[in-house]
Amino acid sequence: MANLSAGVNIVTTDGPRGRAGITVSAVCSVTDAPPTMLVCVNRSSRSHDILQSNERVCINVLGPEHQDVALAFAGGVPAKERFSVSGDMWDHSVAAVPVLKGSAASIVGRITGSATRGSHSVLFVEVDRVIVGEYSGGLVYFQRRFHPINAPLSA
């Protein structure tokens, strides 16, 4: 799996079970009617049960400038400190969940189903809103490292 390159995202939630966030690379589009994404989350993660219980989530698509916050939410910082360490990077007024300011895109939705396979849950997120940021490039994970994808130069 280390040779499978994947976009880097931080999935966030807030609600009755509290606020949580986790870095994930297993995210993709499922269908456009209704618009639905899938997110794979390790069941042993502290964030797993909070995400499922709160149901409302935001899939924050990261750019190259977000490597530090990706590392923090991947376990480099204790779960309860992740939002405070990343400072004022989070907007709580746009949706009922934390939205990363300056992300390539933030996809807000609700978990409408799930499936368990081995160590992970596949969460199906029906999209309510998409917030598109300025295109600054992307961030991918490949061979256990982050790699920036720079925005193309204008023609």
Side-chain angles (χ1 to χ4, degrees):
M1 294 300 174
N3 288 317
L4 177 63
S5 58
V8 181
N9 310 271
I10 296 176
V11 180
T12 58
T13 189
D14 201 352
R17 287 285 308 270
R19 188 169 54 175
I22 186 170
T23 300
V24 297
S25 59
V27 173
C28 73
S29 171
V30 175
T31 181
D32 62 351
T36 304
M37 305 281 293
L38 71 75
V39 177
C40 299
V41 178
N42 193 312
R43 292 185 297 134
S44 67
S45 164
R46 174 193 171 275
S47 298
H48 177 273
D49 291 346
I50 298 171
L51 290 165
Q52 280 201 306
S53 294
N54 285 346
E55 294 180 349
R56 299 277 307 155
V57 298
C58 183
I59 302 165
N60 297 281
V61 181
L62 304 187
E65 68 276 17
H66 297 118
Q67 288 186 46
D68 290 343
V69 71
L71 284 169
F73 278 76
V77 171
K80 293 186 178 195
E81 298 172 23
R82 291 177 185 170
F83 289 97
S84 60
V85 167
S86 51
D88 66 347
M89 298 180 79
W90 298 98
D91 187 341
H92 300 277
S93 66
V94 175
V97 291
V99 173
L100 180 62
K101 296 176 188 175
S103 64
S106 294
I107 303 154
V108 179
R110 64 190 180 290
I111 299 170
T112 58
S114 66
T116 300
R117 188 72 67 223
S119 61
H120 284 64
S121 289
V122 180
L123 308 177
F124 295 94
V125 178
E126 195 168 309
V127 177
D128 295 328
R129 181 177 184 186
V130 177
I131 303 160
V132 178
E134 288 188 36
Y135 183 65
S136 63
L139 186 64
V140 297
Y141 194 69
F142 177 70
Q143 293 198 336
R144 295 180 175 80
R145 290 191 353 225
F146 294 115
H147 300 272
I149 297 176
N150 296 321
L153 298 174
S154 298

